[in-house]
Amino acid sequence: MAVHKKEEFTRKEQDLANFAKAMAHPARIAILKVLALRNECICGEIVGLLPLAQSTVSQHLKELKNAGLISGSIDGPRSCYCINWNAFEKFNSEFNSLFANLKVKNEKACC
Amino acid sequence: MAVHKKEEFTRKEQDLANFAKAMAHPARIAILKVLALRNECICGEIVGLLPLAQSTVSQHLKELKNAGLISGSIDGPRSCYCINWNAFEKFNSEFNSLFANLKVKNEKACC
DNA sequence: ATCATTTATCGTATATTTGCGATATAAGAT
DNA sequence: ATCTTATATCGCAAATATACGATAAATGAT
């Protein structure tokens, strides 16, 4: 690749793409579901629910955290993750508005 | 990586992840915008609008097509792409329902 | 102080993605 | 028939993602 071209797109396009990338693995979607199912965010049992090694799950959690979709407090031998609903809402509405913007321009199917 | 683990998640999780992956690059989001702006799907000028080489744009188009987000008819020296609104709507609503499902379970912020 | 438990990080292997130039392909124009 | 134009595909290089085992770190229990 040599050079990154991603910076040459708009910030909004990059943000949406990053959000999408965070969702672009079934394991991470599964993790989000698990997090949502627990009202308490004692999330130690995530590893047991996924067909992945502990280190791999930890990596996915890190990516979700970097994307801002979850927040977590590490508390010694047990960590506590939960969904960052604010960020989630924000991205969801941005996604919807992207769809809406796309849709309004194009009424007739042409292919 | 050695082994693919993606197959071990639910079909729905995989589908959503694949959709997200298709959107996970700013170039592809930009392409979708361009496609939507044209009511006619004479889409030859996409290359000129992006900071990427022709072959790279062609690759991104291919990925969007594989993901089912666009459809295209190749017509000799010029090809004609446009957004596949059906697929788009489907994924959008699946995404929304995922969000809704996640949201309803979790009322209180815990982190 | 040592041990057990839990999670993060490191190192590493492999797969996939991104990007480009070169080339092939396909059709219209001359 | 040849040239031009537009697009797809091939081949390659570099970057990133995925996955795991081993190890570190941090805390509670003994």
Side-chain angles (χ1 to χ4, degrees):
Chain A
M1 172 155 49
V3 195
H4 300 262
K5 291 286 181 113
K6 289 183 181 171
E7 302 81 22
E8 303 189 20
F9 295 91
T10 69
R11 177 109 304 272
K12 202 154 194 165
E13 283 163 354
Q14 291 181 57
D15 287 348
L16 268 175
N18 282 335
F19 167 62
K21 195 187 321 201
M23 309 281 293
H25 196 289
R28 293 195 286 272
I29 291 180
I31 287 172
L32 289 173
K33 281 189 189 171
V34 171
L35 285 177
L37 280 169
R38 313 268 154 185
N39 271 331
E40 304 266 277
C41 51
I42 308 135
C43 304
E45 59 266 52
I46 294 177
V47 174
L49 299 173
L50 297 178
L52 296 170
Q54 179 266 325
S55 57
T56 308
V57 173
S58 188
Q59 237 173 221
H60 281 304
L61 284 167
K62 195 179 176 187
E63 283 172 64
L64 287 170
K65 198 174 179 185
N66 285 341
L69 290 183
I70 65 177
S71 41
S73 56
I74 304 142
D75 186 21
R78 101 185 43 110
S79 64
C80 161
Y81 284 112
C82 61
I83 291 182
N84 184 350
W85 293 105
N86 284 350
F88 233 72
E89 280 296 309
K90 182 192 147 221
F91 281 120
N92 190 26
S93 67
E94 263 183 51
F95 235 69
N96 280 330
S97 77
L98 173 70
F99 289 155
N101 281 340
L102 291 179
K103 190 71 178 296
V104 77
K105 302 288 185 178
N106 199 326
E107 301 294 73
K108 51 188 167 188
C110 46
C111 282
Chain B
M1 171 155 49
V3 195
H4 300 261
K5 292 284 180 116
K6 288 183 182 173
E7 302 80 23
E8 303 189 22
F9 296 90
T10 69
R11 178 109 303 275
K12 202 154 193 163
E13 285 164 352
Q14 291 181 58
D15 287 347
L16 268 175
N18 282 335
F19 167 64
K21 193 185 328 199
M23 307 281 293
H25 195 290
R28 292 195 285 273
I29 291 181
I31 287 172
L32 289 173
K33 282 189 189 172
V34 171
L35 285 177
L37 281 169
R38 312 269 152 185
N39 270 333
E40 303 265 278
C41 53
I42 309 136
C43 303
E45 59 266 50
I46 293 177
V47 175
L49 298 172
L50 297 178
L52 296 170
Q54 180 266 324
S55 57
T56 307
V57 172
S58 187
Q59 236 173 223
H60 282 303
L61 285 167
K62 195 179 177 185
E63 283 172 65
L64 286 170
K65 197 174 178 184
N66 285 342
L69 291 183
I70 64 177
S71 42
S73 57
I74 303 140
D75 186 22
R78 99 185 44 111
S79 63
C80 162
Y81 284 112
C82 61
I83 290 181
N84 185 348
W85 294 105
N86 286 348
F88 232 72
E89 281 296 307
K90 183 191 146 223
F91 282 120
N92 190 27
S93 68
E94 263 183 51
F95 234 71
N96 280 330
S97 78
L98 173 70
F99 289 154
N101 281 341
L102 290 179
K103 190 69 176 297
V104 78
K105 302 285 184 178
N106 198 325
E107 299 295 71
K108 51 189 167 189
C110 47
C111 283

